[in-house]
Amino acid sequence: MRARQVAAIRDVRDTAGLWRLCWTLAWLDIRLRYRGSMLGPFWLTLSTATMVVAMGLVYSVLFRMPLVDYMPFLALSLVLWAFLQSTVVEAGGAFTAAEGMIRAQRMPYMVHGVRVVLRNLLVFAHNIVVVVGIDVVLWIWPGVAVVLVLPGMAIWILDALAITLLLGPLCARFRDIPPIIGSVMQMAFFVSAVIWKPSQLKDHEWLLSFNPFYTILEVVRGPLAGTVPGWDVYVSATLYSTLLCAAAWMLFARVRGRLAFWL
Amino acid sequence: MRLKAPHGRAEVNVSNLRVDFPLYHGNARSLKKMVFHSVSGRMGADKNNRVVVQALRDVSFTLRSGERLGLVGSNGAGKTTLLRAVAGIYEPVGGQLRVTGTINALLDPNLGMNPDLTGRENIALRALYVGMPAAMIPELEQDVADFAELGDFLDLPVRIYSAGMLIRLGFGLATAFHPQVLLMDEWILAGDANFMVKAQARLENLVRGAEILVLSSHAPTVVMDWCTRVLWMDQGRIKADGPPEEVLPMYLGAPVKRGD
């Protein structure tokens, strides 16, 4: 029991020592995905922009909201959600995708988790350009609330690492979990106030603070949209994140030694 | 090229090592099956019925600086599993395993090699894998490039290399790091005659530099020439342990001559 904890802590420490490797692997993933294409990773930016404009035009009519109001909200929500969604989905493949590396050389396991998180942060950095672009065109400045994005991002990065350590081993052991993750994330997209505004729920808005996807999204989205998230959002996001991190650590420490056999 | 600072004298200490391979085929991987079993209270039964291959059993030995161990045995006897366990890839299910000193395991010729990257980029990537400081990368590049004789191909994607070029790069890269404990699987000795002549010197240099060698091989002459001790593995257990002159004839059922 104790030995497992020590081994897991050592794993994290060794991973920190290999940060250059993690960074290079993440960057190579992006580069190779767009190898030979003219725009390279900026295809991501372009496709996000197209999606935002198309959805913005339709949904602003559906929801009867002014386009200048709805478009910046939608752009921000979609870009942030894309990060959450792809991180969670790719977390499941963190170890199975690195099978060759794991079976050929001793290496801290967390390297593969960090690689997934960094890769998605890089994609995110390309997508956020769309949000900034729309804000510049519409002359929107979120205001001082934007500094709250720092604690928000800290929560996100911790959660993202935790989710790779949780879903990575689970998906390596049980090969039918990835499709489940896919459908859960799809459902979460519709119920978590991503494309609609929380205020549209009217009397039922309070229910949203029990939805971990919503509160975790809101700790970053709120500040970037210029609003300070309520205390209920912070309490809920912190609580869910703590649970996630605790579960992830317990699982990772427990099964770390068995991972190589599961691939 | 040395890996980090040497840790004093190298030593490999294995006692009562046990490694089990769970076999997850079709059913055992299914979450549904697990859930239904646990609901119907048969989870324990599932656990017991799971097919487990006993890959290593009661393996004990100690290697001190200067020892060269050869692993012999039929396919599936546990040689590669033992190498992987010593390399730290498979954690033991039972028993103790302690390795002092830097390790380099030549188990997979294409370790971490990405076919879409150029030869040069692959070399840099491998340097990161072993945690080599950035300042040493040009030296490594030079060393590998000289051996692999890739010329202008070094800056082209590995995907387009011929089989020969690929094995030269893989071999050159794998043998570029000089550890205290060297683990080798037999692939390293496979290759056409031309290549082997060239590779021999580099490999011998590597082996001489290592304090401890563990070599898994099917070729008795190689084991006879290189090793000071032989472990005969059979069905995951040690069947015999001793100098090559004693163990190899037992294993082969015939006397072995030293190569030249």
Side-chain angles (χ1 to χ4, degrees), chain A residues 75-97:
Chain A
L76 184 57
S77 296
L78 283 182
V79 166
L80 295 178
W81 184 262
F83 171 79
L84 293 181
Q85 156 131 1
S86 65
T87 305
V88 171
V89 170
E90 288 177 23
F95 299 116
T96 41

Side-chain angles (χ1 to χ4, degrees), chain A:
Chain A
M1 185 66 199
R2 210 183 142 68
R4 280 183 184 151
Q5 293 288 333
V6 172
I9 291 168
R10 192 178 300 133
D11 195 292
V12 174
R13 203 194 56 200
D14 292 348
T15 302
L18 287 171
W19 65 271
R20 281 192 307 142
L21 174 67
C22 301
W23 178 253
T24 309
L25 288 172
W27 183 238
L28 285 177
D29 285 340
I30 302 283
R31 238 188 58 199
L32 292 176
R33 205 182 283 177
Y34 293 93
R35 184 173 44 96
S37 81
M38 205 171 56
L39 287 180
F42 284 100
W43 274 114
L44 296 168
T45 318
L46 199 66
S47 67
T48 309
T50 325
M51 168 109 151
V52 166
V53 170
M55 282 183 75
L57 289 173
V58 174
Y59 280 82
S60 65
V61 176
L62 281 180
F63 293 154
R64 297 195 180 82
M65 279 188 237
L67 192 62
V68 287
D69 210 20
Y70 183 64
M71 190 78 104
F73 166 81
L74 181 71
L76 184 57
S77 296
L78 283 182
V79 166
L80 295 178
W81 184 262
F83 171 79
L84 293 181
Q85 156 131 1
S86 65
T87 305
V88 171
V89 170
E90 288 177 23
F95 299 116
T96 41
E99 181 181 348
M101 252 164 88
I102 290 173
R103 287 165 64 97
Q105 190 188 350
R106 182 201 177 94
M107 189 174 300
Y109 283 97
M110 213 183 153
V111 164
H112 313 294
V114 175
R115 173 187 189 172
V116 169
V117 175
L118 284 179
R119 178 169 72 214
N120 281 291
L121 281 173
L122 282 170
V123 171
F124 176 62
H126 283 93
N127 283 337
I128 200 80
V129 173
V130 176
V131 177
V132 175
I134 289 179
D135 283 4
V136 168
V137 169
L138 297 176
W139 209 243
I140 299 168
W141 166 246
V144 285
V146 84
V147 297
L148 283 173
V149 82
L150 293 176
M153 276 315 277
I155 294 179
W156 271 30
I157 290 172
L158 265 179
D159 284 355
L161 288 172
I163 206 95
T164 59
L165 297 188
L166 181 73
L167 294 183
L170 279 178
C171 291
R173 175 67 181 81
F174 301 106
R175 296 300 165 98
D176 40 11
I177 288 186
I180 299 178
I181 297 173
S183 40
V184 167
M185 288 311 286
Q186 177 134 39
M187 184 205 65
F189 173 75
F190 289 109
V191 302
S192 306
V194 182
I195 52 172
W196 41 273
K197 293 196 173 182
S199 57
Q200 287 174 283
L201 277 184
K202 306 211 170 74
D203 293 347
H204 303 290
E205 201 183 325
W206 60 275
L207 277 170
L208 270 179
S209 39
F210 293 98
N211 177 347
F213 296 100
Y214 168 72
T215 55
I216 289 174
L217 173 67
E218 196 58 20
V219 294
V220 170
R221 184 176 66 179
L224 285 179
T227 54
V228 178
W231 62 270
D232 55 327
V233 168
Y234 276 113
V235 169
S236 161
T238 315
L239 208 66
Y240 281 121
S241 300
T242 313
L243 282 177
L244 172 66
C245 292
W249 183 259
M250 281 192 315
L251 182 83
F252 179 64
R254 190 177 157 79
V255 305
R256 208 189 54 89
R258 303 302 299 160
L259 262 173
F261 297 98
W262 291 349
L263 297 169

Side-chain angles (χ1 to χ4, degrees), chain B residues 114-125:
Chain B
N114 191 324
D116 290 317
L117 296 178
T118 68
R120 199 182 297 280
E121 287 168 328
N122 268 305
I123 296 174
L125 188 61

